[in-house]
Amino acid sequence: MRKYIYGVFVFFFTGYLFAQEKEMSLSMQEAIDYAIKNSYENKVSLNDIEAAKKKKWETTTIGLPQINGKVDYQNWIKQQVSLLPVAAFDNTQSTIDIVEEYFDGVVRNGNEVTTPTGFIPLRFGTKQTMNASVTLSQLIFDGSYLVGLQSAKTYLKISEQAKEKTELATREAVINAYGNVLVTEKSIEILENNKKILEKNLNETQKTYDNGLTELENVEQLQITLGNVESNLRNAERLKEIAYQMLNVSLGNSIDTKLTLTSTLDNLVIDNTDLSLLATQFNIDNHIDYKIAQNDRESKRLLMKLEQSKALPSLSAFINYGANANSDDFNFLDSNQKWFDYSLFGVTLNVPIFSSLGRSSRTAQAKIALESADIRLEEAKQKLNLQVQRAKSEYQLGIENYETAKKNLALAERIEKKQQVKFFEGISSSFDLLQAQNQLYTQQNNYVQSMLNVIAKKAQLENALNIPLK
């Protein structure tokens, strides 16, 4: 019984620890740092860099010494026959025995033998043979190989730049996802507060109606407004769950991971309101997209160089050592088996002479691709400069919209409160109150969205300026 209780305790304690591991508490910056290391896209980028390093080494090894071993075993199931003319044999006893084996009518006259004309089928060699060899080969010169080494370095650089771009994109994605969660929670908080106020107003209006001091239309109007707010609240609660799941995906977590966000929307807006960022000078040479465009141009240059190098001769050499053995039975592993060794050295010079202008055509195509890459590089330069200007403008507009939305919300709150007072004093109608309430709800939504917009536009501007990660 004691063992059973102990086992149950261990089970639930382990489950508790597992549940604890699925809970995370993160600020905005902590979420960014975590995603840089753990997001799906960044993990793939790291794998791409490792693959590029292996590819670079694979290319390098082409010009390094290559050693290959070979063991060749042959067994004649039916041994091959060679034909030799009878006239090639002399009149010795061994020859007579061979001739008598294959021909009839051998004429003997004392020691003289007269053999018929024709061919004798003979099998040469042993039934089984084995050959073992080791070959060392070395590429001495090949223009394509030299270009290949440069291309491998460029390929690695492309992978590293792709990871840098992925990290910047991850930062922006996490900021947006984190901000969406906070906006959803803020919207729920506002809607719950609106609901309480409406329920209170509806309760008071219902009592007033029961006493015959107001019309049923006023009650029904408040019921409609309350119903809309409740519907929006339920939708916001569903969106909150989805927003948390989207943030988990951005972080590289399971969507069921429980998150606690320690940054608040108000603090993030303050932290991300930085007008000095608008005066930051843009250095296009450091921008990752411009570096990628330059690297693309470099790859096209190397491609043209590769086609040109194919017109150069290539030189390689090899040396090998081997031994072979022959036997009618498989006794090659016996110590008394006779092996005959050999060695060979060779040099190969391959000189391209004429390709019917095929190489010239491929070189011309590569040159055209390089010219197109130059055009794309200039296009990237212009687009990136325009992107920075647009991002600065949108960020400044976002800050201005936030300030305006903040003022408009304060005004809408005062107007709605005045209409409530007038409504319960019988000075204004339920329609006037409805207009004031709808205006308030619109301004509340604009205010919350303007807060998220400041945060998102700041992240967009940082990416446009290629501001490195903290």
Side-chain angles (χ1 to χ4, degrees), residues 217-229:
E217 179 185 350
N218 294 332
V219 177
E220 292 173 340
Q221 189 66 64
L222 287 172
Q223 288 175 337
I224 291 173
T225 306
L226 178 60
N228 290 334
V229 169

Side-chain angles (χ1 to χ4, degrees), residues 80-268:
Q80 188 175 5
V81 172
S82 298
L83 297 178
L84 293 180
V86 176
F89 293 89
D90 55 21
N91 290 332
T92 61
Q93 184 60 43
S94 60
T95 303
I96 293 171
D97 292 339
I98 295 173
V99 174
E100 285 180 337
E101 182 182 351
Y102 290 100
F103 294 94
D104 295 329
V106 176
V107 180
R108 294 179 181 271
N109 184 9
N111 291 328
E112 296 182 1
V113 178
T114 302
T115 57
T117 61
F119 293 90
I120 299 176
L122 296 177
R123 292 182 174 89
F124 292 94
T126 58
K127 188 175 182 181
Q128 300 184 44
T129 60
M130 182 174 284
N131 179 56
S133 64
V134 177
T135 302
L136 169 65
S137 59
Q138 173 65 58
L139 180 65
I140 299 175
F141 175 79
D142 190 330
S144 299
Y145 170 69
L146 299 177
V147 177
L149 285 178
Q150 295 176 326
S151 298
K153 293 178 182 178
T154 302
Y155 180 68
L156 176 58
K157 189 181 294 185
I158 288 173
S159 299
E160 292 171 342
Q161 290 174 344
K163 184 180 185 303
E164 182 181 346
K165 184 171 178 62
T166 300
E167 289 178 350
L168 293 173
T170 298
R171 175 177 64 181
E172 185 173 356
V174 170
I175 289 173
N176 288 328
Y178 197 105
N180 277 327
V181 173
L182 295 180
V183 164
T184 305
E185 290 181 336
K186 186 74 170 179
S187 297
I188 291 174
E189 179 186 337
I190 292 173
L191 288 169
E192 286 177 342
N193 185 58
N194 292 341
K195 179 183 175 184
K196 289 179 182 178
I197 295 173
L198 283 170
E199 287 175 339
K200 179 182 177 183
N201 291 344
L202 178 59
N203 184 48
E204 293 178 358
T205 305
Q206 182 68 49
K207 289 178 180 179
T208 304
Y209 170 73
D210 292 341
N211 292 326
L213 299 177
T214 189
E215 298 179 358
L216 178 61
E217 179 185 350
N218 294 332
V219 177
E220 292 173 340
Q221 189 66 64
L222 287 172
Q223 288 175 337
I224 291 173
T225 306
L226 178 60
N228 290 334
V229 169
E230 289 175 337
S231 177
N232 290 335
L233 178 59
R234 288 192 296 270
N235 183 56
E237 289 172 344
R238 290 191 295 270
L239 291 176
K240 176 183 175 181
E241 181 179 356
I242 295 174
Y244 269 107
Q245 291 176 344
M246 292 178 65
L247 177 56
N248 271 320
V249 171
S250 299
L251 295 173
N253 290 337
S254 165
I255 61 173
D256 299 322
T257 303
K258 185 177 180 181
L259 299 175
T260 300
L261 307 189
T262 58
S263 297
T264 64
L265 195 58
D266 292 323
N267 289 338
L268 286 178

